[in-house]
Amino acid sequence: MLERITRSITSASIFLAAYFLLNIALRIALPHTLDLDEAEQSFYSQYLLAGYGPQPPFYNWIQYAIVSVTGISMWVLSVPKNIILFGCYLFYGLAAREVLKSRSLAAVAMLSLITLPQVGLMAQRELTHTVALLFATSLFLFGFFRTLRQPTIGSYLLIGVATGIGLISKYNFAILPFAALIAVLPEREWRSRLIDWRLLPAAVLAILIVLPHALWLPDNLASASAPTLERMTAEHLAPAGLPRIGQGLLSLVIAVLGFVALPIVLIAAAFRRDFFRALSSSSPMIRVIERMMVISLLAFVGVVLFAGASDIHERWLDPCLLVLLIYLFLKLETADLDLSAGLARFRPVVPVFMVVILSILLFRIVGIQYIGTYTRTNVPFSGYVAELTATRKPVLIVAGTKFVAGNMRLEFPDVPVVIPFFPGPGVPEYADAKGPVLVIWRGETADDPTISPGFANDLVRSGIHLQELKTLTLPYLFGDGKRSFSIGYSWVEGGAK
């Protein structure tokens, strides 16, 4: 059966579609408390903006468009994400088909994406903007390889669309088209692709896609870059100078190993001697891919040396190293070896990973009392809502964080949920509210719902004066009953005071 699945991209795609349907069903069956990225999408889906802060807006625009038609629900948050992830696998398979002669090998390369932890597990567990980045990267690789092999106006426009989407999905995507451009230069056979007139409409298309956000960015550069720079520099972990550079380079090495180690070990174990024999094989396409990966990683070395980055995360390497699996299977094919035994050993890896990933996604929520580390999805928001609204319903909800705001938005799809000073100055809805307003927040820790001074000041500046601060504490979902999560809240009457 597994051999039939990997005979073509079509068969593998059907198999993957069934897997993503299982992921959707599992997410719907689990508690509807939203994790951080899901909560952000739930909250942001109320607004159509050119920018939303530290992340580019592509995923937000997709979510807004769907919510505008269907309304907010767990289905609306889960289904688009899985469709985009499915698109990532599909276009990766199509990219593999452009460079691999064997249709079966291309299908295996497509399915093997699940062995990359950042794709198979992390993207499914909680990420959103990275999911869009993965999709854009696969789309770019497909357009890029198609253009090298058989250039058409369509293949160039595909590169333009992928580049535009990638740049408004994650800023680090910019490394990929730059690396691809430089990687092609030494190859005389393909150098002419860079001076083809069809590159111009592709560039125009990419600019048009990016333009709304690009016009927003200069006036909002601090809010767009500060959180990322803070995470990258990790000033509290390393002093300035050589120690910081050393920590940054070590962080990069660890991130690269964390990204590539598992699939390399699995493929090496499956193909055994053939894998090591194939490492010396080469071709123009192999050389281009090698240069792409090296140039991309050198760009991160530059970030460490010149921007002071000392903490590189694995997911930041997605546009640099996603091509790895195509590269490894291209090496194996170019070596002209009999790969049938290796493929037979590797095929079962994919369904095993699917079962393991689904089990992890389930057990990290329902088996939390045995793990001990409670997730955001175990916070009992539906219980809070039942307690808080037993006697009255809010006409407006003012939340202290996006995590709280997004979850309250899901629980109250017809009630505006706002955060002070987002997206503009003040909370204008409060002045017009005709009825009870629920102000709700979480504290610094799970068991301390003390209102933060920053949120308290924002409320006062918005004209909201809390009369009585209350606390509501409930046990974690699927917990042992001994640990609980507390929120703070206050009811006020709408209208400026």
Side-chain angles (χ1 to χ4, degrees):
M1 180 180 177
L2 288 175
E3 185 176 355
R4 290 198 299 271
I5 289 170
T6 57
R7 282 179 182 172
S8 68
I9 296 296
T10 302
S11 300
S13 298
I14 295 171
F15 183 59
L16 278 171
Y19 169 69
F20 284 113
L21 286 174
L22 286 175
N23 273 281
I24 293 171
L26 177 61
R27 186 62 189 96
I28 299 301
L30 288 171
H32 287 193
T33 300
L34 306 178
D35 213 324
L36 186 57
D37 277 19
E38 292 174 327
E40 286 186 349
Q41 293 304 319
S42 174
F43 171 65
Y44 286 150
S45 67
Q46 300 173 103
Y47 310 99
L48 179 60
L49 305 172
Y52 295 81
Q55 300 288 0
F58 177 72
Y59 199 101
N60 302 105
W61 290 348
I62 297 294
Q63 197 71 75
Y64 173 85
I66 298 172
V67 170
S68 297
V69 175
T70 64
I72 191 70
S73 69
M74 197 68 245
W75 286 94
V76 171
L77 294 171
S78 180
V79 172
K81 175 178 177 176
N82 280 277
I83 290 176
I84 296 172
L85 264 178
F86 173 74
C88 166
Y89 282 78
L90 176 62
F91 283 110
Y92 196 83
L94 294 175
R97 196 169 66 179
E98 291 296 323
V99 300
L100 294 168
K101 298 175 184 177
S102 168
R103 293 290 187 260
S104 179
L105 209 57
V108 171
M110 169 186 177
L111 292 170
S112 66
L113 263 184
I114 201 169
T115 65
L116 287 172
Q118 290 299 317
V119 181
L121 178 60
M122 299 304 296
Q124 191 60 255
R125 194 179 77 178
E126 59 183 350
L127 303 176
T128 53
H129 299 284
T130 298
V131 170
L133 172 70
L134 292 170
F135 170 80
T137 301
S138 291
L139 187 63
F140 179 90
L141 292 174
F142 173 46
F144 177 65
F145 292 145
R146 168 64 68 92
T147 299
L148 293 184
R149 191 181 67 84
Q150 188 177 357
T152 63
I153 184 64
S155 69
Y156 275 97
L157 292 179
L158 196 61
I159 291 176
V161 171
T163 301
I165 292 174
L167 291 174
I168 58 172
S169 295
K170 281 278 193 177
Y171 298 124
N172 59 324
F173 178 86
I175 295 173
L176 179 59
F178 171 77
L181 175 71
I182 303 301
V184 171
L185 283 176
E187 298 297 331
R188 182 181 303 176
E189 176 187 358
W190 294 325
R191 201 177 301 154
S192 61
R193 305 288 195 270
L194 304 179
I195 55 175
D196 194 299
W197 68 268
R198 290 169 288 193
L199 194 60
L200 180 60
V204 170
L205 188 55
I207 291 170
L208 289 175
I209 293 172
V210 174
L211 189 60
H213 184 61
L215 294 174
W216 171 90
L217 195 57
D219 294 331
N220 299 272
L221 194 58
S223 63
S225 60
T228 300
L229 291 174
E230 184 178 343
R231 288 195 297 269
M232 289 178 67
T233 53
E235 293 181 0
H236 62 289
L237 297 178
L242 290 178
R244 178 182 290 278
I245 292 174
Q247 180 174 310
L249 293 176
L250 178 60
S251 172
L252 177 60
V253 170
I254 292 173
V256 170
L257 292 176
F259 195 103
V260 308
L262 182 58
I264 288 178
V265 168
L266 291 171
I267 294 174
F271 290 90
R272 301 177 183 176
R273 292 181 181 178
D274 289 343
F275 175 81
F276 296 100
R277 291 171 183 166
L279 291 179
S280 61
S281 61
S282 185
S283 70
M285 187 65 76
I286 288 175
R287 291 195 295 270
V288 166
I289 296 175
E290 286 172 343
R291 292 189 203 106
M292 286 172 61
M293 292 191 288
V294 170
I295 292 167
S296 298
L297 294 177
L298 286 176
F300 273 95
V301 172
V303 170
V304 170
L305 294 177
F306 303 111
S310 60
D311 187 17
I312 306 298
H313 294 196
E314 286 179 32
R315 64 178 179 273
W316 296 347
L317 304 178
D318 285 338
C320 311
L321 298 178
L322 193 69
V323 72
L324 172 73
L325 296 165
I326 293 177
Y327 168 73
L328 294 176
F329 283 107
L330 182 57
K331 280 264 189 182
L332 286 164
E333 186 179 66
T334 304
D336 198 24
L337 303 167
D338 182 5
L339 303 178
S340 56
L343 283 173
R345 287 188 290 265
F346 186 78
R347 286 189 184 103
V349 169
V350 173
V352 167
F353 263 71
M354 289 178 172
V355 172
V356 169
I357 289 170
L358 289 169
S359 300
I360 291 174
L361 295 174
L362 174 64
F363 191 73
R364 66 185 287 265
I365 307 300
V366 302
I368 202 68
Q369 59 180 303
Y370 305 108
I371 300 174
T373 303
Y374 287 77
T375 71
R376 295 184 183 91
T377 312
N378 292 99
V379 176
F381 264 99
S382 58
Y384 295 143
V385 170
E387 293 277 348
L388 292 171
T389 61
T391 58
R392 51 183 164 177
K393 308 291 184 185
V395 299
L396 173 69
I397 298 172
V398 182
T401 63
K402 287 176 285 187
F403 171 63
V404 175
N407 275 284
M408 297 306 288
R409 162 89 166 138
L410 184 64
E411 295 290 341
F412 294 97
D414 299 323
V415 177
V417 181
V418 298
I419 292 176
F421 302 99
F422 182 92
V427 187
E429 293 89 347
Y430 176 65
D432 301 325
K434 307 298 182 184
V437 174
L438 176 60
V439 182
I440 184 169
W441 62 89
R442 62 159 298 179
E444 291 294 326
T445 61
D447 56 357
D448 180 15
T450 303
I451 189 170
S452 69
F455 182 49
N457 291 335
D458 286 343
L459 291 174
V460 173
R461 291 164 60 199
S462 302
I464 302 175
H465 301 275
L466 305 183
Q467 301 299 319
E468 184 179 8
L469 307 185
K470 297 183 179 180
T471 298
L472 181 56
T473 300
L474 292 175
Y476 279 104
L477 299 173
F478 298 107
D480 55 10
K482 299 177 182 178
R483 295 188 60 183
S484 56
F485 193 94
S486 300
I487 59 166
Y489 72 97
S490 181
W491 288 97
V492 297
E493 285 301 314
K497 302 296 183 185

